[in-house]
């Protein structure tokens, strides 16, 4: 490919590496083994009551006089769907924390056929979707008391994801599966079970210690990383997959969290660069979802400087044999949807490391204007670079059966 992208008509179709799905009410009734269905997650509708924002987390109650909302009940805990997570089709002033039912949502939030239609409207060819009720890496099940039931729920979700959500999409809906975070041997088994049916993406916590799990430095996750490397399964870490979002003060408004949402991705990536994990598993691929990328040039510079200047005391002299940026360019993918600073630094961010997302159906989503938003970001870039960041890198990262004659292998 030659020349630069100057017209919106030149734009290749997007492959989005970060979207979301609202689970249909029948999911667990259909996909859980019959012996678990009575105790499994139960959908119900009720009015939504008070909202509290405590320690960076939202707490809700039901209220018979409140706005009708679709919920899940699981082990005595209740989880409402809110308008901000099913925001497509609403005006900006309507994208609130009010409750919402599936009938009030745009159907593409939870119906795969309608999702494909919305992707067609949005210049999107393929999409990788994170869970909602299970939370971004399955924390809902990791926190459950009955781990036998929780494991059944993880497997049921994955079966639904592979067979129902993605099954009839012709490869356009890309399966993203969960693992039982509380047991690494079970996690390895689930990686292999899903890889055997073509799954190449799993969701994981950006900072496991925030969930009360062992750190990536502990060695605990070694078998999981080995299984992902062996099967070509990409480890996808969404902002908020540690159940915490950064804020400067405990009583700061949610806007502070929204503005600082990239911080966890930045912290997680730095953790991995100095962990030795990417040295030990040189074919392991990590993907940071919804973290944007404008911050990456500085953190790579800083990490390399620390490695070079502080190696005598910083604990990485013998652990990290090459500058940390080496492992980033070899094994890590970032993604963006509104980040012109990142695009302006694309040579340092990495033309082979950046991918694109639409965040459908969240409040940040570029739907239905993704083509225009993407065009604003890639104008003036070469056709080759625009192709890579809008679809080519995602194809290579996930091993997708698109454009094989155009995909060049640099990372992974």
């Amino acid at each position: 490919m030659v020349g630069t992208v100057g017209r919106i008509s030149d734009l290749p179709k997007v492959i989005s590496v970060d979207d979301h799905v609202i689970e249909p009410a029948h999911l667990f009734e259909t996909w859980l083994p019959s012996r678990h269905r009575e105790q499994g997650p139960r959908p119900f509708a009720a009015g939504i009551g008070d909202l509290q924002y405590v320690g960076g987390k939202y707490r809700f109650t039901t209220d018979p006089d409140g706005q009708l909302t679709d919920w899940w009940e699981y082990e005595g805990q209740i989880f409402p769907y809110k308008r901000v997570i099913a925001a497509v089709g609403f005006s900006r002033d309507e994208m609130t924390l009010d409750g919402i039912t599936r009938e009030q949502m745009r159907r593409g939030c939870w119906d795969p056929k309608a999702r494909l239609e919305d992707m067609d409207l949005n210049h999107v060819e393929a999409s990788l979707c994170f869970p909602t009720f299970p939370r971004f890496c399955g924390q809902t099940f990791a926190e459950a008391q009955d781990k036998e039931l929780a494991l059944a729920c993880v497997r049921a979700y994955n079966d639904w994801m592979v067979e129902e959500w993605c099954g009839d999409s012709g490869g356009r809906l890309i399966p993203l599966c969960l693992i039982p975070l509380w047991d690494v041997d079970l996690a390895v088994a689930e990686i292999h079970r899903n890889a055997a049916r073509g799954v190449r993406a799993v969701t994981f916590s950006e900072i496991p210690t925030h969930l009360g799990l062992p750190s990536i430095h502990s060695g605990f996750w070694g078998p999981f990383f080995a299984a992902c490397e062996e099967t070509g399964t990409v480890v996808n870490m969404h902002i908020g997959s540690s159940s915490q979002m950064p804020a400067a003060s405990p009583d700061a408004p949610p806007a502070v969290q929204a503005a600082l949402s990239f911080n966890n991705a930045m912290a997680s990536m730095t953790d991995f660069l100095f962990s030795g994990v990417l040295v030990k598993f040189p074919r392991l691929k990590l993907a940071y979802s919804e973290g944007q990328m404008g911050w990456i040039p500085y953190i790579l510079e800083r990490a390399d400087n620390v490695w070079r200047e502080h190696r005598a005391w910083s604990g990485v002299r013998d652990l990290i044999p090459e500058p940390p940026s080496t492992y980033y360019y070899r094994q890590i993918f970032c993604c963006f949807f509104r980040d012109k600073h990142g695009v302006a630094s694309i040579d340092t961010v990495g033309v082979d490391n950046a991918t694109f997302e639409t965040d459908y159906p969240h409040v940040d989503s570029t739907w239905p204007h993704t083509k225009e938003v993407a065009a604003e970001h890639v104008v003036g870039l070469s056709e080759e670079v625009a192709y890579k960041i809008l679809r080519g890198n995602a194809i290579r990262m996930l091993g997708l059966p698109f454009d094989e004659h155009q995909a060049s292998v640099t990372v992974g």
Side-chain angles (χ1 to χ4, degrees):
M1 286 176 278
V2 296
T4 59
V5 178
R7 298 175 303 173
I8 193 169
S9 59
D10 297 332
L11 209 67
K13 276 201 167 183
V14 165
I15 294 179
S16 175
V17 299
D18 172 35
D19 294 317
H20 302 267
V21 61
I22 303 296
E23 296 79 18
H26 68 261
L27 192 160
F28 295 101
E29 182 180 1
T30 300
W31 291 97
L32 265 179
S34 57
R35 68 182 183 278
H36 291 301
R37 288 175 191 163
E38 187 174 345
Q39 286 76 37
R42 179 181 65 87
F44 70 100
I48 194 166
D50 293 333
L51 162 66
Q52 291 183 321
Y53 184 65
V54 180
K57 297 181 181 180
Y58 295 103
R59 297 286 185 265
F60 294 88
T61 62
T62 59
D63 182 342
D65 298 321
Q67 180 175 338
L68 188 64
T69 300
D70 277 339
W71 305 69
W72 290 97
E73 185 276 329
Y74 177 55
E75 287 200 341
Q77 302 295 314
I78 56 174
F79 306 83
Y81 286 126
K82 304 178 290 296
R83 194 175 291 183
V84 291
I85 63 173
V88 290
F90 291 96
S91 72
R92 284 291 165 192
D93 289 335
E94 294 174 315
M95 296 179 184
T96 65
L97 291 171
D98 292 338
I100 192 172
T101 66
R102 290 179 186 83
E103 288 303 312
Q104 294 167 331
M105 300 174 191
R106 190 168 179 87
R107 191 175 180 90
C109 293
W110 50 269
D111 179 271
K113 181 179 178 181
R115 175 63 66 92
L116 292 173
E117 293 170 354
D118 276 358
M119 289 161 59
D120 289 336
L121 292 173
N122 202 33
H123 200 65
V124 173
E125 182 164 10
S127 168
L128 183 78
C129 291
F130 282 83
T132 302
F133 158 66
R135 287 143 68 197
F136 291 146
C137 67
Q139 301 101 301
T140 296
F141 303 128
E143 294 169 0
Q145 297 299 310
D146 185 338
K147 287 300 190 284
E148 180 184 355
L149 174 59
L151 177 61
C153 288
V154 166
R155 290 174 172 168
Y157 178 90
N158 291 341
D159 291 343
W160 165 81
M161 166 61 63
V162 174
E163 303 296 336
E164 184 176 328
W165 178 252
C166 300
D168 293 329
S169 70
R172 294 183 64 193
L173 294 173
I174 307 160
L176 175 63
C177 287
L178 305 174
I179 57 168
L181 290 162
W182 60 92
D183 188 310
V184 72
D185 292 329
L186 293 175
V188 167
E190 193 63 12
I191 291 294
H192 285 290
R193 184 176 83 95
N194 292 315
R197 49 184 175 174
V199 176
R200 293 295 179 269
V202 66
T203 180
F204 185 64
S205 176
E206 59 199 356
I207 307 175
T209 54
H210 285 350
L211 304 180
L213 298 169
S215 82
I216 62 168
H217 305 276
S218 67
F220 175 85
W221 299 104
F224 166 69
F225 294 138
C228 290
E229 181 181 57
E230 177 187 348
T231 58
T233 300
V234 182
V235 179
N236 295 264
M237 293 171 283
H238 196 283
I239 56 167
S241 57
S242 57
S243 295
Q244 294 186 27
M245 295 290 279
S249 307
D251 53 350
V256 175
Q257 280 189 336
L260 294 176
S261 60
F262 69 92
N263 268 3
N264 281 355
M266 182 171 62
S268 175
M269 192 179 86
T270 307
D271 216 22
F272 268 102
L273 290 178
F274 285 115
S275 69
V277 168
L278 301 179
V279 179
K280 185 175 182 180
F281 303 102
R283 292 178 292 110
L284 179 68
K285 290 185 283 189
L286 308 181
Y288 283 96
S289 307
E290 207 172 321
Q292 309 301 329
M293 61 187 191
W295 50 271
I296 288 175
Y298 173 70
I299 203 64
L300 292 179
E301 178 184 352
R302 178 60 181 164
D304 283 356
N305 282 337
V306 167
W307 176 84
R308 187 165 39 247
E309 306 294 340
H310 299 260
R311 59 181 177 271
W313 66 272
S314 62
V316 296
R317 181 174 55 190
D318 300 321
L319 183 65
I320 311 298
E322 299 180 74
S325 62
T326 305
Y327 308 103
Y328 166 80
Y329 289 119
R330 189 177 75 185
Q331 295 174 252
I332 297 178
F333 294 84
C334 57
C335 77
F336 74 101
F337 52 93
R338 289 189 180 92
D339 190 345
K340 292 182 180 179
H341 291 285
V343 174
S345 304
I346 193 63
D347 288 340
T348 307
V349 169
V351 296
D352 295 305
N353 302 79
T355 60
F356 198 76
E357 62 168 289
T358 79
D359 200 29
Y360 182 108
H362 282 188
V363 65
D364 257 331
S365 179
T366 55
W367 188 92
H369 306 297
T370 292
K371 189 174 185 180
E372 293 82 1
V373 172
E376 290 173 0
H377 281 74
V378 303
V379 65
L381 295 181
S382 71
E383 292 179 6
E384 179 182 11
V385 171
Y387 164 81
K388 284 184 174 185
I389 66 178
L390 294 181
R391 63 184 286 116
N393 291 339
I395 289 171
R396 188 164 41 80
M397 179 179 88
L398 294 163
L400 302 177
F402 302 113
D403 305 351
E404 292 179 354
H405 64 288
Q406 293 178 330
S408 61
V409 177
T410 302
V411 178

